[in-house]
Amino acid sequence: LATGPRQNDSIFYEIRTYDIKPSKMKEFVEMVNKYIYLRTAHSELVGFWSAELGAMNKVVHVWKYGMLTAVRHALANDKDWQGKFISPALPLIEKQHNEVAYLVPWCQLGKPPKEGGVYEWVTFQMKPGGPALWGEAFRAAINAHINTGYTKLIGVFHTEYGLLNTVHVIWWNESPDHRAAGRHSAHEDARVVAAVRDSVRFLESQQNVLLIPLQCSPLK
């Protein structure tokens, strides 16, 4: 999971999470949709979402990179980006958090079968030791859910910078109700139950958030 193909792949992803002041969420989203083109001129946006369930007044965005330092330097010197978005947006933000992660080598970044629907962002904090300890069991648990067919896997990211032994999984579902019904059915599937039980031996904690894509998000 964390050796071989992952180390040879120069593509990585920055995961940014912002907590927005409750009274400023609408204003922030409008600014993002209006000025995001200034940011995407420098690197590729994978997705931009707002939290619907599991968190409030929070946005999550994922950026694809080949070289982070050059992009950051360019952004810092982009007067339009700094003046039109960064300066007015900062007072709307309460907290920022970022991580650098790789796609696990057995997962390619996917797309939903159609526009619409909802995304589920699940964060797993695994026991120290890395994928050499828990990678195979974790992969088996993910595949068990995929094989039920009720959900679409979008991506599995393993952190390189940030809280280590963290794995973020993005799923797509047609609706919250469709997701709930599928999960209920999966939890009665003996194959899923067995795979999850094997994986949770290495689990410290997990958290999920239901996300809605912004108008500007490539993943809709």
Side-chain angles (χ1 to χ4, degrees):
L1 186 68
T3 58
R6 186 195 68 83
Q7 298 293 350
N8 293 332
D9 190 351
S10 61
I11 300 299
F12 58 95
Y13 299 83
E14 185 184 23
I15 300 168
R16 300 183 70 92
T17 305
Y18 296 169
D19 290 340
I20 310 301
K21 293 179 179 179
S23 63
K24 301 297 184 180
M25 187 66 179
K26 183 175 183 293
E27 182 180 351
F28 180 83
V29 169
E30 289 175 348
M31 286 186 59
V32 170
N33 285 324
K34 183 177 181 179
Y35 292 116
I36 196 67
Y37 74 94
L38 295 172
R39 176 63 182 81
T40 55
H42 295 282
S43 64
E44 181 180 345
L45 175 63
V46 174
F48 208 125
W49 303 269
S50 62
E52 183 73 10
L53 297 172
M56 297 181 69
N57 304 300
K58 186 184 294 288
V59 297
V60 180
H61 39 129
V62 179
W63 298 87
K64 183 178 179 180
Y65 292 98
M67 187 175 295
L68 180 60
T69 304
V71 173
R72 287 192 176 278
H73 179 76
L75 287 169
N77 289 281
D78 187 327
K79 293 182 179 180
D80 279 345
W81 172 246
Q82 295 294 328
K84 293 180 179 180
F85 182 81
I86 294 297
S87 293
L90 284 178
L92 314 181
I93 301 171
E94 288 192 330
K95 185 170 62 175
Q96 295 176 297
H97 175 74
N98 80 327
E99 298 167 280
V100 172
Y102 287 90
L103 275 173
V104 298
W106 46 268
C107 172
Q108 295 185 351
L109 194 63
K111 292 183 178 180
K114 60 182 180 180
E115 290 191 3
V118 296
Y119 292 80
E120 183 182 11
W121 184 287
V122 190
T123 299
F124 298 89
Q125 186 60 42
M126 308 302 290
K127 290 182 181 298
L133 175 68
W134 43 258
E136 290 185 6
F138 187 87
R139 180 179 181 179
I142 293 296
N143 284 336
H145 282 286
I146 293 173
N147 292 337
T148 63
Y150 79 89
T151 187
K152 166 71 174 177
L153 179 65
I154 301 299
V156 181
F157 300 89
H158 180 219
T159 57
E160 183 79 4
Y161 291 97
L163 187 59
L164 298 181
N165 297 291
T166 301
V167 184
H168 300 287
V169 183
I170 309 176
W171 301 96
W172 178 89
N173 290 278
E174 290 185 8
S175 69
D177 290 338
H178 185 268
R179 178 263 183 197
R183 295 275 297 183
H184 180 76
S185 177
H187 290 165
E188 295 180 346
D189 187 316
R191 296 165 297 179
V192 175
V193 172
V196 170
R197 281 179 177 171
D198 189 42
S199 179
V200 296
R201 295 183 294 123
F202 308 106
L203 182 65
E204 295 281 3
S205 65
Q206 67 185 86
Q207 181 180 13
N208 70 334
V209 182
L210 195 71
L211 300 173
I212 303 297
L214 269 62
Q215 178 184 341
C216 65
S217 178
L219 286 174
K220 297 191 182 297

